[in-house]
Amino acid sequence: MSNIKNLKEFAQLAGVSTATISRALSGTGRVSEETRERVAALAERLGYQPNATARNLRTQRTMTIGVLVPLGHEAAQHLSDPFFNTMTGFLADALSDHGYDLLLSRVLPKGDRWLDRYIGSGKVDGIIVIGQSTEFAVIETVSRRYLPMVVWGGQVSGQNHCSVGSDNRKGGALAIRHLIERGCRRIAFAGPTQGPEFGERLQGVKQVLRETGLSETLIELPSHFEPGAAFEDIRAQLEGIAAMPDGIVAGSDVTAIGVLRALQALDIDVPGQVKVIGYDGLPVGAQVSPPLTTIDQQLRHGAGMIVDLLLRRLAGETTESRMIEPILIVRAST
Amino acid sequence: MSNIKNLKEFAQLAGVSTATISRALSGTGRVSEETRERVAALAERLGYQPNATARNLRTQRTMTIGVLVPLGHEAAQHLSDPFFNTMTGFLADALSDHGYDLLLSRVLPKGDRWLDRYIGSGKVDGIIVIGQSTEFAVIETVSRRYLPMVVWGGQVSGQNHCSVGSDNRKGGALAIRHLIERGCRRIAFAGPTQGPEFGERLQGVKQVLRETGLSETLIELPSHFEPGAAFEDIRAQLEGIAAMPDGIVAGSDVTAIGVLRALQALDIDVPGQVKVIGYDGLPVGAQVSPPLTTIDQQLRHGAGMIVDLLLRRLAGETTESRMIEPILIVRAST
DNA sequence: TTGAAAGCGTTACCAC
DNA sequence: GTGGTAACGCTTTCAA
């Protein structure tokens, strides 16, 4: 920490003008090699650092990206959700690789102005939204006039905003094909029914079932988003079921973990009696027992892509949405 | 989003001075009720919002708190670590309750200046460090001259910096007593051996074993921090063990999950043959099978406390470190 | 290569 | 109760 409080003071000590110091420290503009070295050494010795706020005001950029996690109806739902937390971590890494800071905000979307309010404050240069959930319309509207925004989530035709997410339909198809290959014939789909992403995954499953002539057998097991509630939902439904499925596609890894617990509670062996496959590729999936077979969305890669696209939009480019290739990861639950 | 770009423009449209607008909008200073309403309505209609950077510069505060996650030797260790992610989430909530934003930074501590650099930039009003890990000395030094900093972690006697964390020794004692009550007699302690927190937990365990006359039986199972590596470490050690323990205290929930997997891999029944207890109280502990008995550090409560202390330091108070009461949560793994 | 000075968009002091 | 205006600490023209 420095005892010098601003550039002016530092310039006096260095015996040059503030302009020269600024140039020397930022590396921009012409300064003699000698001065630059002298200034740099002095700054290091005194621990001087230019004030970021003042610089931001002058340069009209903050070098900060806002990451927004819209909390859905279930207000408490995301607090400890492994998906959002994991994604945030990856984004933090990707952003800091490019010299950007990450301003984290969890917002309860209220009305249709929450995004505008956030943007208007000028605290950030750009925005990343994790998950469209119920806010698809708001995001879509804002995207028409605010460019530096990239969203993690699904992609629908005609969509204006730039999103990154896995090919959910393909991923769903991948999951169900794997179960069929493993010999499953009575298939269930477990998970939330809301949100564009889950819907697409289910569509992928249905399509393959139709092609295979198994569509009659599909059992739907709707559940809440939140882990604890999901477990209860699934257990209640499986408990009273006429014929137990022999394979379950879960809409997310979190749901899949709930499914595993529910089956465990009912004393049903996985993968012996029922096989289970998740969706996301969260690290935690490898840590449960049995380790979870899943469709990997390559979140780290996705985070890198989001940041890359955002930086390009910041630079004035227009960018298209991107699909990430879903990858089957086979572990012990199938 | 607004088409108005600054206060001056807005003031012209409103037909009053910038000073009046500022007062009307911020609620500070005397303004007639009539003007305030008129200005507020116009601001709402035009979507005008004062620029945060300019305000920050003028007021000399950013209303932003930096949350630092120092990455230890194992650079990749925290990327997806549920503990850090969960803590960050709780902090985000607590901070936003008080109108503060959260600037998230993962830092690779390099040398002893990383904290100074962060502080010197003036991007934040205060700092929260999650975990002291190997940086205890640096934190301690900085705390002597930089006051608005609160650390999640252990507390040692004579420590200068303000920390919040559970009473690790007591928590360790709580864990081992529970295992003994459940009939365990050959006890093992699994987990990382580095860091002040794990050490204290182990001491708590040892002390109770001494008091009970069981101290001869303690088996130590050191492991890495990172989940995957921890699993391997534990499995390797249990595989070749002369006499299997009948109770295992894990240094953290993440370690405990690794222990559960290792036992599963060796076909050992939990809690039938071996009982396992974790430490942290992470939500994910309730989702594994069998659901994990653990010592709850009340992270949400802890996060609230950290923020509370930080705000008081920001206001000039001096604050003492706080211990959180560890609570035993019994689930199915014991 | 360097320095003087004009902003960046607010807030807060001081008059009126 | 309201308006003028000087900061806040920096970057970046423009001149020298």
Side-chain angles (χ1 to χ4, degrees):
Chain A
M1 235 170 47
S2 173
N3 25 9
I4 306 276
K5 67 174 204 304
N6 60 29
L7 187 47
K8 205 169 161 188
E9 239 179 75
F10 181 67
Q12 263 153 13
L13 259 85
V16 286
S17 76
T18 61
T20 303
I21 305 268
S22 174
R23 283 186 287 243
L25 254 32
S26 68
T28 175
R30 288 148 297 279
V31 197
S32 78
E33 189 53 31
E34 192 206 322
T35 349
R36 121 184 275 55
E37 273 172 22
R38 205 164 52 77
V39 168
L42 191 61
E44 170 67 19
R45 196 161 65 71
L46 297 177
Y48 170 74
Q49 277 192 95
N51 176 286
T53 307
R55 169 190 290 153
N56 292 345
L57 179 58
R58 176 62 233 232
T59 59
Q60 298 290 72
R61 51 209 306 248
T62 62
M63 294 304 283
T64 300
I65 299 297
V67 170
L68 297 189
V69 182
L71 307 175
H73 318 295
E74 316 175 39
Q77 88 185 16
H78 299 315
L79 292 184
S80 55
D81 187 81
F83 178 82
F84 289 89
N85 290 334
T86 303
M87 197 63 191
T88 304
F90 287 146
L91 287 171
D93 288 340
L95 285 170
S96 89
D97 284 348
H98 293 276
Y100 278 86
D101 286 318
L102 155 24
L103 194 69
L104 181 62
S105 293
R106 315 172 136 215
V107 294
L108 286 145
K110 244 174 78 183
D112 55 352
R113 300 288 285 272
W114 58 274
L115 245 183
D116 280 333
R117 262 197 299 275
Y118 193 84
I119 292 165
S121 72
K123 282 189 281 216
V124 298
D125 294 340
I127 287 183
I128 294 168
V129 181
I130 308 187
Q132 298 135 331
S133 72
T134 57
E135 304 302 312
F136 196 96
V138 173
I139 293 170
E140 192 67 2
T141 307
V142 168
S143 74
R144 296 187 200 287
R145 49 172 198 272
Y146 182 77
L147 300 177
M149 173 170 73
V150 179
V151 178
W152 170 271
Q155 184 183 344
V156 304
S157 74
Q159 165 182 319
N160 182 70
H161 71 263
C162 179
S163 68
V164 173
S166 70
D167 187 332
N168 289 301
R169 191 174 284 253
K170 194 165 177 180
L174 218 52
I176 185 65
R177 282 209 198 90
H178 173 68
L179 287 187
I180 293 173
E181 268 173 30
R182 283 285 203 257
C184 302
R185 287 301 173 268
R186 287 187 50 78
I187 309 292
F189 181 90
T193 47
Q194 271 196 326
E197 299 192 273
F198 296 107
E200 283 293 299
R201 292 169 197 172
L202 177 55
Q203 288 313 314
V205 168
K206 282 186 172 165
Q207 187 174 330
V208 171
L209 287 178
R210 269 196 305 275
E211 290 167 10
T212 334
L214 288 168
S215 47
E216 296 306 309
T217 72
L218 183 67
I219 305 159
E220 292 193 32
L221 303 169
S223 75
H224 286 83
F225 190 96
E226 190 270 320
F231 160 67
E232 288 299 345
D233 293 338
I234 306 286
R235 198 185 53 120
Q237 290 175 82
L238 287 181
E239 204 163 15
I241 208 163
M244 187 62 66
D246 56 5
I248 301 179
V249 178
S252 72
D253 280 354
V254 168
T255 305
I257 292 172
V259 169
L260 289 181
R261 278 182 66 208
L263 291 169
Q264 179 114 358
L266 297 172
D267 235 346
I268 295 171
D269 183 59
V270 178
Q273 296 170 262
V274 180
K275 303 192 196 309
V276 178
I277 182 167
Y279 201 111
D280 276 342
L282 298 184
V284 68
Q287 305 303 321
V288 297
S289 64
L292 189 64
T293 293
T294 191
I295 302 298
D296 185 9
Q297 300 201 72
Q298 307 188 71
L299 294 188
R300 172 175 275 290
H301 176 56
M305 199 177 273
I306 287 174
V307 170
D308 180 55
L309 289 171
L310 185 58
L311 293 183
R312 285 157 70 172
R313 294 179 83 86
L314 240 19
E317 275 186 56
T318 48
T319 61
E320 298 297 315
S321 293
R322 294 282 190 82
M323 289 269 206
I324 289 173
E325 191 66 24
I327 296 175
L328 173 68
I329 296 187
V330 181
R331 298 207 191 92
S333 69
T334 53
Chain B
M1 236 170 44
S2 173
N3 25 9
I4 307 277
K5 67 176 203 304
N6 60 29
L7 188 46
K8 206 169 160 186
E9 243 178 72
F10 181 66
Q12 264 154 12
L13 259 86
V16 284
S17 75
T18 60
T20 301
I21 306 268
S22 175
R23 282 184 292 242
L25 254 32
S26 67
T28 175
R30 288 148 296 276
V31 197
S32 78
E33 189 53 30
E34 192 208 323
T35 344
R36 113 181 285 55
E37 271 172 24
R38 205 165 49 79
V39 168
L42 191 60
E44 170 67 19
R45 197 161 64 72
L46 297 177
Y48 168 75
Q49 277 190 95
N51 177 285
T53 307
R55 168 191 290 153
N56 291 346
L57 179 60
R58 176 64 234 229
T59 59
Q60 299 289 75
R61 49 209 308 250
T62 61
M63 293 305 282
T64 299
I65 299 297
V67 170
L68 297 188
V69 182
L71 307 175
H73 319 295
E74 316 175 38
Q77 86 185 16
H78 300 315
L79 293 185
S80 54
D81 187 80
F83 177 82
F84 289 88
N85 291 335
T86 303
M87 196 65 191
T88 304
F90 287 146
L91 286 171
D93 288 340
L95 285 170
S96 88
D97 284 347
H98 294 276
Y100 278 86
D101 286 318
L102 155 26
L103 194 70
L104 181 62
S105 293
R106 316 175 134 213
V107 295
L108 285 146
K110 244 174 80 183
D112 54 353
R113 299 288 285 271
W114 59 274
L115 246 182
D116 280 332
R117 263 197 299 274
Y118 193 84
I119 292 166
S121 72
K123 281 189 282 216
V124 298
D125 294 341
I127 288 182
I128 294 168
V129 182
I130 307 186
Q132 297 135 333
S133 73
T134 59
E135 303 302 312
F136 196 96
V138 173
I139 293 170
E140 192 67 3
T141 307
V142 168
S143 74
R144 294 185 202 290
R145 51 171 195 276
Y146 182 76
L147 299 178
M149 173 170 73
V150 178
V151 179
W152 170 270
Q155 183 183 344
V156 305
S157 73
Q159 164 182 319
N160 183 70
H161 70 262
C162 179
S163 68
V164 173
S166 70
D167 186 334
N168 289 300
R169 191 175 283 253
K170 193 165 179 180
L174 218 52
I176 185 65
R177 282 210 198 90
H178 173 68
L179 287 188
I180 293 173
E181 268 172 28
R182 283 287 202 254
C184 302
R185 288 300 175 268
R186 289 187 48 78
I187 309 293
F189 182 89
T193 48
Q194 271 196 330
E197 299 193 273
F198 296 108
E200 284 292 300
R201 292 170 197 172
L202 178 53
Q203 288 314 313
V205 169
K206 282 184 173 167
Q207 188 174 327
V208 170
L209 288 178
R210 269 196 306 275
E211 291 166 8
T212 334
L214 288 168
S215 47
E216 295 307 308
T217 71
L218 183 68
I219 305 160
E220 291 193 32
L221 302 169
S223 75
H224 285 83
F225 190 96
E226 189 271 320
F231 161 67
E232 287 298 346
D233 294 338
I234 306 286
R235 197 185 53 120
Q237 290 175 83
L238 287 181
E239 201 162 17
I241 208 162
M244 187 61 69
D246 57 5
I248 301 181
V249 178
S252 72
D253 280 354
V254 169
T255 306
I257 291 172
V259 169
L260 289 180
R261 277 182 67 208
L263 291 169
Q264 178 115 359
L266 298 172
D267 234 347
I268 296 172
D269 182 59
V270 178
Q273 296 169 266
V274 180
K275 301 190 197 311
V276 178
I277 183 168
Y279 200 111
D280 277 340
L282 298 184
V284 67
Q287 305 303 322
V288 297
S289 64
L292 189 63
T293 293
T294 191
I295 303 298
D296 185 9
Q297 300 202 73
Q298 306 188 70
L299 294 188
R300 173 174 274 287
H301 176 57
M305 199 177 274
I306 288 174
V307 170
D308 180 56
L309 288 171
L310 186 58
L311 293 184
R312 285 157 69 171
R313 294 180 82 85
L314 240 20
E317 276 186 56
T318 48
T319 61
E320 299 297 315
S321 293
R322 294 283 189 82
M323 289 270 205
I324 290 173
E325 191 65 26
I327 295 175
L328 172 68
I329 297 186
V330 181
R331 297 205 191 93
S333 68
T334 53

